[in-house]
Amino acid sequence: MHPTTQLLENARERVTFPVGELTKLLYVNDEIYETFMKAQKIIANEPTIRNHPDYHNWSRKQQIIKSYEKLRIMHQHFNLANAVHWAPLLSIFQGTTPTAVSFAMTVPALRFLGTDEQFNLWGPKFLTMEIVAAYAQTEIGHGSDVQNLETTATYDPQSNDFVLHTPAVSAVKFWPGELGFLSNYALVYAKLIFNGKNKGVHPFMVQIRDNSTHKPLRGVTVGDIGPKLGYTTKDNGYLAFDNYRIPLNSMLARYVRIENGQFSRHGNEKISYASMMVSRQLIIFIYPRMAAQALTVAIRYSITRQQFTNDKREENSVIEYQTQQDKLLPRLATCYGMIFAGIRIMQLVDDNFHRVQKKDFSTLQQSHAILSAVKAFSSQWVVDTTEWCRLSCGGHGYAHYSGIPAVYFDTAPNVTLEGENQVMYLQVSRYLLKVLQYAEKTPEKVPFYFTFVLHIKETLANKDLNTSLGHWLKLTLTIQLIQVGKRIKDLMNTGKTFQQIWNEHVGIHLLSLAQRYAEYFIYLVFQEYIANANPSVKEILQQLCDLYCVQTILDNPNTLIESGQITQEQLKSFNELKIELFAKIKPQAIGLVEAFNFNDNALRTCIGCHDGKPYEYIYDWATKENSVNKVPQAVIDLMGTKIKAKL
């Protein structure tokens, strides 16, 4: 057996829990797991679409064409309108998945905001890909500030239709995915002008390209915005209208209508949150699994990579060094918490989805707050974790053939898209302050995952040294919420307006508050999963949860220190507990990452393969799979030129 293969096999033999039991937890149900495994197998075994070592030497145009070839083949095997079928592709494709925006954003918006007649008209055409529709909300001049979008849809009572228009460069739709050249429709968000009055921003289903030629229709200017950091194969686009007429039924009309020349509203205007929830939920559900890919590569490589000798004059695997464990093990622990939180949020969003369809909006605000908190927290965490995985692999982590840089580029945009993270956090803190008011006046309104506000006195009074680690997360959150609420109240007593205070005086505190809530929510869900897990994996899950808590406390101890709630000795004990947990989790690390069951093709790596052999694969890819080694004529011409240096 190859020496590095033996190192991995030895590590696998030290795992003391049944890996398959964790796999069941990570993939929710058999359908999701079987679909994922089937997709991995198809992509790995189909020569035209398998992940290619030379991929990052290709031009962007070549990469985009390859992504469409993959989609065409995968469409033959799966129902890509079903998120269970296409969502796994996001983590195992090279490059982004075409039509993800159309299915994850536009279709839910059509289902939520359109009438049954409108959904029946357009919905089936998404399934056959007769329609691929971009979600055209963001403009050059406005992103998160939806209420101030400039694109107009003016109702013409004479012809009973709308005139879509882009009045300025700042109003050009910019950044929507799949708009550049794939979509033939777009769900366009525009200000409705009715009888000369602004009736707010509403969505319009608009055809932008000819069904036969795929060329832009007259009055439509559309194209790709060009290369960017990450999402190389996603055709993020621009879109402008020049007095472009669209029919009356273009406006999604479940909650707003124009009938007989009259404008009317029906239902809760915040319903638009519900459609955005689907795409944000997928970010939380899918992308921590890409961090798990990076962790799989980094931990396998840390076992096979041997550097420097020990007392026995044998080289150590770098995973044996405490500094390497500190890079990887806390992030591995958090990864499990993130995965469980993503699954729980999927369930919350699904429940909210069914309630909203019955015009029950009772869980809309709390679902939106939880989703916003964890979307912001997890998307930044995935990027940071991927970078630490790259650093843990030394020089080889820097190369694309490690598979890690691709994960970084594929996940970095999520910090900004589908809700810029700081804006998300501010919305969460606004809701937390509202829940604090509920606790004081109408405690029965406090939702389940926010009940900590009902126990503020008990939380602050708890001095039990043997209290659970989660108590410290709740305590930090509670203190920050009280402090922010008091600070706002005190500033308002000085005559400052709420808007002034919010924008100029408490912004940093609000961001920290929302982050602490995300951390506490992840802990709560972690505990739920431990309680319901098979007894054979409870111990390792509790160790992971404990490490997650300890690392979270040590990363942000200031609130506890400044409030006098924690002593120097307690902080010291947390550091000692962290080291103890490293010793327990390190032998299990290989089993924890391999519970995700990524195959080598999905990992896109030559340093973290299942059978080891990182050096052989690195050399093989560099010498046999690297098209740049075909010396270009320009090099030959340059080297053949007599250059006289000027001294």
Side-chain angles (χ1 to χ4, degrees):
M1 187 179 289
H2 191 279
T4 56
T5 308
Q6 187 67 61
L7 287 170
L8 285 172
E9 286 303 315
N10 292 344
R12 290 175 182 125
E13 289 174 5
R14 286 192 288 271
V15 174
T16 58
F17 65 87
V19 174
E21 286 299 324
L22 283 189
T23 302
K24 291 176 185 177
L25 285 178
L26 294 169
Y27 287 96
V28 190
N29 59 49
D30 290 342
E31 183 185 9
I32 292 177
Y33 178 66
E34 289 168 7
T35 302
F36 175 72
M37 296 304 290
K38 179 182 175 183
Q40 281 200 122
K41 187 175 180 181
I42 290 170
I43 294 174
N45 294 337
E46 174 60 57
T48 59
I49 63 171
R50 67 175 288 118
N51 295 332
H52 200 287
D54 201 39
Y55 179 83
H56 294 285
N57 281 328
W58 299 354
S59 69
R60 180 172 178 243
K61 187 178 289 187
Q62 286 175 297
Q63 291 178 348
I64 289 170
I65 290 170
K66 181 61 70 173
S67 72
Y68 290 150
E69 288 178 10
K70 289 179 180 178
L71 180 68
R72 180 178 54 79
I73 292 173
M74 297 307 285
H75 199 67
Q76 297 168 5
H77 293 277
F78 298 101
N79 171 15
L80 295 184
N82 182 346
V84 170
H85 284 209
W86 63 258
L89 305 185
L90 295 175
S91 64
I92 55 179
F93 254 163
Q94 263 180 321
T96 53
T97 308
T99 72
V101 171
S102 186
F103 284 130
M105 297 185 66
T106 309
V107 171
L110 180 58
R111 188 183 297 277
F112 277 117
L113 305 176
T115 63
D116 292 342
E117 293 79 7
Q118 287 175 317
F119 188 79
N120 291 335
L121 173 64
W122 292 307
K125 295 179 181 179
F126 281 88
L127 307 185
T128 59
M129 290 184 63
E130 292 176 69
I131 290 179
V132 175
Y135 190 88
Q137 177 175 292
T138 299
E139 297 175 350
I140 288 182
H142 294 91
S144 301
D145 186 10
V146 177
Q147 63 184 352
N148 285 313
L149 294 178
E150 297 178 75
T151 301
T152 58
T154 304
Y155 176 67
D156 184 345
Q158 300 300 318
S159 53
N160 198 31
D161 61 7
F162 300 102
V163 178
L164 265 182
H165 188 61
T166 303
V169 171
S170 57
V172 173
K173 297 297 180 184
F174 210 84
W175 285 108
E178 294 157 18
L179 179 60
F181 37 77
L182 180 60
S183 293
N184 55 354
Y185 278 71
L187 188 64
V188 178
Y189 281 77
K191 283 191 300 188
L192 172 60
I193 308 299
F194 183 81
N195 290 342
K197 296 180 180 179
N198 179 3
K199 294 294 186 178
V201 173
H202 299 281
F204 298 80
M205 189 69 171
V206 181
Q207 184 173 356
I208 58 174
R209 287 185 169 98
D210 184 87
N211 288 334
S212 301
T213 65
H214 207 65
K215 290 182 178 179
L217 297 172
R218 182 175 294 182
V220 176
T221 302
V222 63
D224 179 81
I225 65 171
K228 51 208 173 281
L229 190 155
Y231 277 28
T232 305
T233 60
K234 183 66 70 180
D235 56 325
N236 297 85
Y238 58 82
L239 175 65
F241 299 101
D242 183 7
N243 294 305
Y244 182 64
R245 287 191 177 269
I246 57 176
L248 183 67
N249 77 334
S250 298
M251 184 174 72
L252 300 192
R254 184 175 291 274
Y255 297 99
V256 291
R257 292 176 199 157
I258 295 176
E259 293 177 311
N260 302 318
Q262 299 297 314
F263 173 83
S264 60
R265 299 180 188 272
H266 309 268
N268 191 328
E269 292 182 19
K270 293 181 179 179
I271 186 65
S272 57
Y273 286 151
S275 59
M276 292 290 287
M277 283 181 183
V278 176
S279 54
R280 289 173 184 166
Q281 168 244 308
L282 285 169
I283 288 173
I284 298 166
F285 182 74
I286 293 297
Y287 288 97
R289 295 167 191 273
M290 295 184 74
Q293 290 176 300
L295 284 162
T296 301
V297 171
I299 285 172
R300 281 180 177 169
Y301 182 68
S302 296
I303 293 168
T304 58
R305 177 74 165 178
Q306 294 182 299
Q307 295 283 282
F308 310 111
T309 54
N310 56 27
D311 293 340
K312 298 177 182 178
R313 297 192 176 182
E314 298 170 340
E315 282 192 304
N316 275 330
S317 293
V318 295
I319 193 68
E320 299 301 324
Y321 295 107
Q322 193 180 81
T323 52
Q324 188 77 346
Q325 295 166 31
D326 195 36
K327 290 188 185 84
L328 297 174
L329 297 186
R331 288 166 179 82
L332 177 58
T334 304
C335 187
Y336 268 76
M338 288 287 184
I339 298 291
F340 296 150
I343 296 168
R344 187 71 186 99
I345 285 173
M346 181 174 68
Q347 294 162 347
L348 291 173
V349 170
D350 189 53
D351 175 67
N352 181 68
F353 178 89
H354 290 297
R355 289 173 182 268
V356 166
Q357 286 188 313
K358 297 174 183 176
K359 298 187 178 180
D360 173 4
F361 302 101
S362 60
T363 62
L364 184 60
Q365 286 190 326
Q366 70 195 53
S367 299
H368 177 257
I370 292 170
L371 192 61
S372 298
V374 183
K375 181 273 172 185
F377 191 79
S378 68
S379 59
Q380 185 62 60
W381 175 85
V382 168
V383 176
D384 294 342
T385 293
T386 304
E387 175 64 0
W388 276 107
C389 287
R390 184 189 71 77
L391 292 170
S392 74
C393 294
H396 292 311
Y398 187 69
H400 264 301
Y401 53 59
S402 71
I404 296 176
V407 174
Y408 182 92
F409 287 120
D410 286 346
T411 58
N414 294 329
V415 172
T416 303
L417 59 79
E418 300 315 313
E420 194 276 335
N421 280 1
Q422 290 195 353
V423 175
M424 294 289 94
Y425 280 140
L426 292 174
Q427 292 177 3
V428 175
S429 288
R430 188 182 294 272
Y431 184 70
L432 285 168
L433 290 166
K434 182 184 287 189
V435 169
L436 183 60
Q437 290 181 330
Y438 288 161
E440 296 168 355
K441 299 175 182 177
T442 52
E444 68 277 3
K445 284 189 174 183
V446 176
F448 176 71
Y449 284 110
F450 297 86
T451 54
F452 74 94
V453 298
L454 299 175
H455 309 288
I456 288 175
K457 289 182 180 178
E458 298 94 314
T459 300
L460 295 175
N462 187 354
K463 302 295 183 181
D464 184 1
L465 296 180
N466 296 316
T467 191
S468 71
L469 291 168
H471 164 76
W472 299 97
L473 306 189
K474 180 168 68 171
L475 179 59
T476 303
L477 169 62
T478 300
I479 293 168
Q480 288 198 10
L481 179 57
I482 293 169
Q483 289 177 343
V484 169
K486 184 178 185 302
R487 184 174 177 81
I488 290 172
K489 187 176 181 180
D490 290 347
L491 287 167
M492 289 189 76
N493 288 337
T494 67
K496 289 183 169 59
T497 66
F498 182 81
Q499 204 64 38
Q500 266 185 306
I501 296 166
W502 193 265
N503 293 339
E504 301 171 21
H505 297 279
V506 295
I508 295 171
H509 305 288
L510 294 169
L511 294 183
S512 179
L513 171 62
Q515 289 163 355
R516 303 295 80 78
Y517 177 74
E519 290 166 349
Y520 181 59
F521 175 80
I522 291 167
Y523 162 75
L524 291 177
V525 176
F526 219 143
Q527 286 299 303
E528 289 176 359
Y529 267 78
I530 293 169
N532 296 314
N534 185 292
S536 62
V537 293
K538 281 181 183 286
E539 182 180 13
I540 185 60
L541 288 175
Q542 189 61 60
Q543 290 168 355
L544 291 172
C545 186
D546 288 349
L547 181 54
Y548 163 73
C549 289
V550 168
Q551 189 65 53
T552 301
I553 294 164
L554 293 173
D555 283 345
N556 294 285
N558 287 1
T559 299
L560 296 172
I561 294 170
E562 291 169 5
S563 62
Q565 290 284 348
I566 195 168
T567 66
Q568 201 169 22
E569 283 302 310
Q570 285 171 316
L571 273 176
K572 182 180 177 182
S573 70
F574 286 141
N575 274 300
E576 291 170 352
L577 177 57
K578 176 179 168 179
I579 304 308
E580 291 173 18
L581 289 166
F582 281 0
K584 294 176 181 178
I585 293 171
K586 183 197 68 175
Q588 315 300 330
I590 188 70
L592 290 166
V593 293
E594 292 190 346
F596 287 92
N597 259 347
F598 296 115
N599 67 18
D600 290 346
N601 184 69
L603 293 174
R604 295 163 277 183
T605 185
C606 62
I607 69 169
C609 294
H610 188 270
D611 63 350
K613 305 179 186 177
Y615 309 136
E616 288 81 359
Y617 289 137
I618 289 169
Y619 187 68
D620 187 62
W621 282 25
T623 57
K624 298 177 182 177
E625 303 287 356
N626 183 1
S627 61
V628 172
N629 282 327
K630 297 174 182 176
V631 180
Q633 186 61 41
V635 173
I636 298 169
D637 293 343
L638 175 65
M639 299 308 293
T641 303
K642 301 288 185 181
I643 299 176
K644 295 181 180 179
K646 291 184 179 180
L647 300 178

Coordinates of all heavy atoms in Angstrom, one line a residue, residues 67-68 71 80-83 86-91 93 95-108 126 129 131-135 176-179 182-183 231 233-235 275 278-280 282-283 286-287 414 417-418:
S67 N -20.4 24.6 -19.0 CA -21.4 24.6 -18.0 C -22.8 24.3 -18.6 O -23.6 23.6 -18.0 CB -21.5 25.9 -17.2 OG -22.0 27.0 -18.0
Y68 N -23.0 24.8 -19.8 CA -24.3 24.6 -20.5 C -24.3 23.1 -21.0 O -25.4 22.5 -21.0 CB -24.5 25.5 -21.7 CG -24.7 27.0 -21.2 CD1 -24.4 28.1 -22.0 CD2 -25.4 27.2 -20.0 CE1 -24.6 29.3 -21.5 CE2 -25.6 28.5 -19.5 CZ -25.2 29.5 -20.3 OH -25.5 30.8 -19.8
L71 N -25.3 21.2 -18.0 CA -26.7 21.4 -17.7 C -27.6 20.5 -18.6 O -28.6 19.9 -18.2 CB -27.1 22.8 -17.8 CG -28.6 23.1 -17.5 CD1 -28.9 22.9 -16.0 CD2 -28.9 24.6 -17.9
L80 N -34.9 19.3 -12.9 CA -34.1 20.4 -12.4 C -35.0 21.5 -11.9 O -34.6 22.6 -11.4 CB -33.2 21.0 -13.5 CG -32.1 20.0 -14.0 CD1 -31.2 20.7 -15.0 CD2 -31.3 19.5 -12.8
A81 N -36.4 21.4 -12.0 CA -37.3 22.3 -11.3 C -37.4 22.0 -9.9 O -37.9 22.8 -9.1 CB -38.6 22.3 -12.0
N82 N -36.9 20.8 -9.5 CA -37.0 20.4 -8.1 C -35.7 20.7 -7.4 O -34.6 20.2 -7.8 CB -37.3 18.9 -8.0 CG -37.4 18.3 -6.6 OD1 -37.1 19.0 -5.6 ND2 -38.0 17.1 -6.5
A83 N -35.8 21.6 -6.4 CA -34.5 22.0 -5.7 C -33.7 20.8 -5.1 O -32.5 20.8 -5.1 CB -34.9 23.0 -4.6
W86 N -31.6 19.8 -8.2 CA -30.5 20.6 -8.8 C -29.6 21.3 -7.7 O -28.5 21.6 -8.0 CB -31.1 21.7 -9.7 CG -32.0 22.8 -9.1 CD1 -33.3 22.8 -9.2 CD2 -31.6 23.9 -8.4 NE1 -33.8 23.9 -8.6 CE2 -32.8 24.6 -8.0 CE3 -30.4 24.4 -7.9 CZ2 -32.8 25.8 -7.3 CZ3 -30.4 25.6 -7.2 CH2 -31.6 26.2 -6.9
A87 N -30.1 21.5 -6.5 CA -29.3 22.1 -5.4 C -28.0 21.4 -5.2 O -27.0 22.1 -5.0 CB -30.1 22.2 -4.1
P88 N -27.9 20.0 -5.2 CA -26.6 19.4 -5.0 C -25.6 19.7 -6.1 O -24.4 19.7 -5.8 CB -27.0 17.9 -5.0 CG -28.4 17.8 -4.6 CD -29.0 19.0 -5.2
L89 N -26.1 20.1 -7.2 CA -25.1 20.4 -8.3 C -24.3 21.6 -8.0 O -23.2 21.8 -8.5 CB -25.9 20.6 -9.6 CG -26.8 19.5 -10.1 CD1 -27.4 19.8 -11.5 CD2 -26.1 18.2 -10.1
L90 N -24.9 22.5 -7.2 CA -24.1 23.8 -6.8 C -22.8 23.5 -6.2 O -21.8 24.2 -6.4 CB -25.0 24.6 -5.9 CG -26.3 25.2 -6.5 CD1 -27.1 25.9 -5.4 CD2 -26.0 26.1 -7.7
S91 N -22.7 22.4 -5.5 CA -21.5 22.1 -4.7 C -20.5 21.1 -5.5 O -19.4 20.9 -5.0 CB -21.8 21.5 -3.3 OG -22.5 20.3 -3.4
F93 N -20.4 20.9 -9.2 CA -20.1 21.4 -10.5 C -18.8 22.2 -10.5 O -18.5 22.9 -9.5 CB -21.2 22.3 -11.0 CG -22.1 21.8 -12.1 CD1 -23.3 22.4 -12.3 CD2 -21.8 20.7 -12.8 CE1 -24.2 21.9 -13.3 CE2 -22.6 20.2 -13.8 CZ -23.8 20.8 -14.0
G95 N -17.7 25.5 -11.6 CA -18.4 26.7 -12.1 C -19.8 26.6 -11.5 O -20.3 25.7 -10.9
T96 N -20.5 27.7 -11.7 CA -21.9 27.8 -11.2 C -22.9 27.1 -12.0 O -22.6 26.8 -13.2 CB -22.3 29.3 -11.0 OG1 -22.1 29.9 -12.3 CG2 -21.5 30.0 -10.0
T97 N -24.1 26.8 -11.5 CA -25.1 26.1 -12.2 C -26.0 27.0 -13.0 O -26.7 27.8 -12.4 CB -25.9 25.2 -11.2 OG1 -25.0 24.5 -10.4 CG2 -26.8 24.3 -12.0
P98 N -26.1 26.8 -14.3 CA -27.0 27.6 -15.1 C -28.5 27.3 -14.6 O -28.8 26.2 -14.2 CB -26.8 27.2 -16.5 CG -25.4 26.6 -16.5 CD -25.3 26.0 -15.2
T99 N -29.3 28.3 -14.7 CA -30.8 28.2 -14.4 C -31.0 28.2 -12.9 O -32.2 28.2 -12.5 CB -31.5 27.0 -15.0 OG1 -31.1 25.8 -14.4 CG2 -31.3 26.9 -16.5
A100 N -30.0 28.2 -12.0 CA -30.2 28.2 -10.6 C -31.1 29.4 -10.2 O -32.0 29.4 -9.3 CB -28.9 28.2 -9.8
V101 N -30.7 30.6 -10.7 CA -31.5 31.8 -10.4 C -32.9 31.7 -10.9 O -33.9 32.0 -10.1 CB -30.9 33.1 -11.1 CG1 -31.8 34.3 -10.9 CG2 -29.5 33.3 -10.4
S102 N -33.1 31.2 -12.1 CA -34.5 31.0 -12.6 C -35.3 30.1 -11.7 O -36.5 30.5 -11.4 CB -34.4 30.4 -14.0 OG -35.6 30.4 -14.7
F103 N -34.8 29.0 -11.3 CA -35.6 28.1 -10.5 C -35.6 28.5 -9.0 O -36.7 28.3 -8.4 CB -35.0 26.7 -10.6 CG -35.3 26.0 -11.8 CD1 -34.3 25.4 -12.6 CD2 -36.6 25.9 -12.3 CE1 -34.6 24.7 -13.8 CE2 -36.9 25.2 -13.5 CZ -35.9 24.6 -14.2
A104 N -34.5 29.1 -8.5 CA -34.5 29.4 -7.0 C -35.1 30.7 -6.7 O -35.5 30.9 -5.5 CB -33.1 29.3 -6.5
M105 N -35.2 31.7 -7.6 CA -35.7 33.0 -7.3 C -36.9 33.4 -8.1 O -37.9 33.8 -7.5 CB -34.6 34.0 -7.5 CG -33.4 33.9 -6.7 SD -32.2 35.2 -6.9 CE -33.1 36.6 -6.2
T106 N -36.9 33.2 -9.4 CA -38.0 33.7 -10.2 C -39.2 32.8 -10.0 O -40.3 33.3 -9.9 CB -37.6 33.7 -11.7 OG1 -36.3 34.5 -11.8 CG2 -38.6 34.4 -12.5
V107 N -39.0 31.5 -10.1 CA -40.2 30.6 -9.9 C -40.9 30.8 -8.6 O -42.1 30.9 -8.5 CB -39.8 29.1 -10.1 CG1 -40.9 28.2 -9.8 CG2 -39.4 28.9 -11.6
P108 N -40.2 30.8 -7.4 CA -40.9 31.1 -6.2 C -41.6 32.4 -6.1 O -42.7 32.5 -5.6 CB -39.7 31.1 -5.1 CG -38.7 30.2 -5.7 CD -38.7 30.5 -7.2
F126 N -41.2 26.9 -17.4 CA -39.9 26.8 -16.7 C -39.5 25.3 -16.7 O -38.3 25.1 -16.8 CB -40.1 27.3 -15.3 CG -40.1 28.8 -15.2 CD1 -41.3 29.6 -15.3 CD2 -38.9 29.5 -15.0 CE1 -41.3 30.9 -15.2 CE2 -38.9 30.9 -14.9 CZ -40.1 31.6 -15.0
M129 N -37.9 24.4 -19.8 CA -36.9 25.4 -20.2 C -37.3 26.2 -21.4 O -36.4 26.7 -22.1 CB -35.5 24.8 -20.3 CG -34.9 24.4 -18.9 SD -33.3 23.7 -18.9 CE -32.4 25.2 -19.5
I131 N -38.9 28.7 -20.9 CA -38.6 30.0 -20.3 C -37.5 29.8 -19.3 O -37.5 28.9 -18.4 CB -39.9 30.6 -19.5 CG1 -41.0 31.0 -20.5 CG2 -39.5 31.7 -18.6 CD1 -42.2 31.5 -19.8
V132 N -36.5 30.7 -19.4 CA -35.5 30.9 -18.3 C -35.6 32.4 -18.0 O -35.4 33.2 -18.9 CB -34.1 30.5 -18.8 CG1 -33.1 30.8 -17.7 CG2 -34.0 29.0 -19.1
A133 N -35.8 32.7 -16.7 CA -36.1 34.1 -16.4 C -35.2 34.6 -15.3 O -35.1 34.0 -14.2 CB -37.5 34.2 -16.0
A134 N -34.5 35.7 -15.6 CA -33.6 36.3 -14.6 C -34.5 37.1 -13.6 O -35.7 37.4 -13.8 CB -32.7 37.3 -15.3
Y135 N -33.9 37.3 -12.4 CA -34.6 38.0 -11.3 C -34.0 39.5 -11.4 O -33.0 39.7 -10.7 CB -34.4 37.3 -10.0 CG -35.2 37.8 -8.8 CD1 -36.4 37.3 -8.6 CD2 -34.7 38.8 -8.0 CE1 -37.2 37.7 -7.5 CE2 -35.4 39.3 -6.9 CZ -36.7 38.7 -6.7 OH -37.4 39.1 -5.6
P176 N -28.1 41.0 -12.3 CA -28.9 39.7 -12.2 C -28.3 38.6 -12.9 O -27.8 38.7 -14.1 CB -30.2 40.2 -12.9 CG -30.3 41.6 -12.7 CD -28.9 42.1 -12.7
G177 N -28.2 37.4 -12.3 CA -27.6 36.2 -12.8 C -28.5 35.7 -13.9 O -29.7 35.7 -13.9
E178 N -27.9 35.1 -15.0 CA -28.5 34.5 -16.1 C -29.2 35.5 -17.1 O -29.9 35.1 -18.0 CB -29.5 33.4 -15.7 CG -28.8 32.2 -15.0 CD -29.7 31.4 -14.0 OE1 -30.9 31.5 -14.1 OE2 -29.1 30.7 -13.2
L179 N -29.0 36.8 -16.8 CA -29.6 37.8 -17.6 C -28.7 38.0 -18.9 O -29.2 38.4 -19.9 CB -29.7 39.1 -16.8 CG -30.2 40.3 -17.5 CD1 -31.6 40.1 -18.1 CD2 -30.2 41.5 -16.6
L182 N -28.5 34.0 -21.2 CA -29.3 32.8 -21.1 C -30.8 33.0 -21.1 O -31.6 32.4 -21.8 CB -28.9 32.0 -19.8 CG -29.7 30.7 -19.6 CD1 -29.5 29.7 -20.7 CD2 -29.2 30.0 -18.2
S183 N -31.2 34.0 -20.3 CA -32.7 34.2 -20.1 C -33.4 34.8 -21.3 O -32.8 35.7 -22.0 CB -32.9 35.2 -18.9 OG -32.5 34.6 -17.7
Y231 N -18.0 33.3 -9.5 CA -19.1 33.1 -10.4 C -18.7 33.4 -11.9 O -19.4 34.0 -12.6 CB -20.2 34.1 -10.0 CG -21.1 33.6 -8.9 CD1 -20.6 32.7 -7.9 CD2 -22.4 34.0 -8.7 CE1 -21.4 32.2 -6.9 CE2 -23.2 33.5 -7.7 CZ -22.7 32.6 -6.8 OH -23.5 32.1 -5.8
T233 N -18.7 31.5 -14.5 CA -19.6 31.0 -15.6 C -21.0 31.6 -15.4 O -21.9 31.2 -16.3 CB -19.6 29.5 -15.5 OG1 -20.1 29.0 -14.3 CG2 -18.3 28.9 -15.8
K234 N -21.3 32.4 -14.4 CA -22.6 33.0 -14.3 C -22.7 34.3 -15.2 O -21.9 35.2 -15.0 CB -22.9 33.3 -12.9 CG -24.3 33.8 -12.6 CD -25.4 32.8 -12.9 CE -25.5 31.7 -12.0 NZ -26.5 30.7 -12.3
D235 N -23.7 34.3 -16.1 CA -23.8 35.5 -17.0 C -24.5 36.6 -16.3 O -25.6 37.0 -16.8 CB -24.4 35.1 -18.3 CG -25.7 34.4 -18.2 OD1 -25.9 33.7 -17.2 OD2 -26.6 34.6 -19.0
S275 N -40.7 35.2 -1.1 CA -40.0 34.7 -2.3 C -38.5 34.8 -2.2 O -37.8 33.9 -2.7 CB -40.5 35.5 -3.6 OG -40.2 36.8 -3.5
V278 N -36.5 31.8 -0.3 CA -36.2 30.5 -0.9 C -34.7 30.5 -1.4 O -33.9 29.6 -1.1 CB -37.1 30.2 -2.1 CG1 -36.6 28.9 -2.8 CG2 -38.5 30.1 -1.7
S279 N -34.3 31.6 -2.0 CA -32.9 31.7 -2.5 C -31.9 31.8 -1.3 O -30.8 31.2 -1.3 CB -32.7 32.8 -3.5 OG -33.2 34.0 -2.9
R280 N -32.3 32.6 -0.3 CA -31.4 32.7 0.9 C -31.3 31.4 1.6 O -30.2 31.1 2.1 CB -31.9 33.8 1.8 CG -31.8 35.2 1.2 CD -32.4 36.3 2.0 NE -32.3 37.6 1.4 CZ -33.1 38.7 1.7 NH1 -33.9 38.6 2.7 NH2 -32.9 39.8 1.1
L282 N -31.4 28.5 0.3 CA -30.5 27.6 -0.4 C -29.0 28.0 -0.2 O -28.2 27.1 -0.1 CB -30.8 27.7 -1.9 CG -32.1 26.9 -2.3 CD1 -32.5 27.2 -3.7 CD2 -31.9 25.4 -2.1
I283 N -28.7 29.3 0.0 CA -27.4 29.7 0.3 C -26.9 29.1 1.6 O -25.8 28.6 1.7 CB -27.3 31.2 0.4 CG1 -27.4 31.8 -1.0 CG2 -26.0 31.7 1.0 CD1 -27.5 33.3 -1.1
I286 N -26.7 25.0 1.1 CA -25.8 24.4 0.1 C -24.3 24.8 0.5 O -23.4 24.0 0.5 CB -26.1 24.8 -1.3 CG1 -27.4 24.2 -1.8 CG2 -24.9 24.4 -2.2 CD1 -27.3 22.7 -1.8
Y287 N -24.1 26.1 0.7 CA -22.7 26.6 0.7 C -21.8 26.2 1.9 O -20.6 26.0 1.7 CB -22.7 28.1 0.4 CG -23.0 28.4 -1.0 CD1 -24.3 28.7 -1.4 CD2 -22.1 28.2 -2.0 CE1 -24.7 28.9 -2.7 CE2 -22.4 28.4 -3.4 CZ -23.7 28.8 -3.7 OH -24.1 29.0 -5.0
N414 N -21.5 35.3 -2.2 CA -22.7 35.2 -1.4 C -22.7 36.2 -0.2 O -23.8 36.4 0.4 CB -22.8 33.8 -0.8 CG -23.0 32.7 -1.9 OD1 -23.6 33.0 -2.9 ND2 -22.4 31.6 -1.7
L417 N -24.5 39.0 -2.5 CA -25.8 38.8 -3.2 C -26.9 38.3 -2.3 O -26.6 37.7 -1.2 CB -25.5 37.8 -4.4 CG -25.0 36.4 -4.1 CD1 -26.0 35.5 -3.7 CD2 -24.3 35.9 -5.4
E418 N -28.1 38.4 -2.8 CA -29.3 37.9 -2.1 C -29.4 38.6 -0.7 O -29.8 37.9 0.3 CB -29.4 36.4 -2.0 CG -29.4 35.7 -3.3 CD -30.4 36.3 -4.3 OE1 -31.5 36.6 -3.9 OE2 -29.9 36.5 -5.4

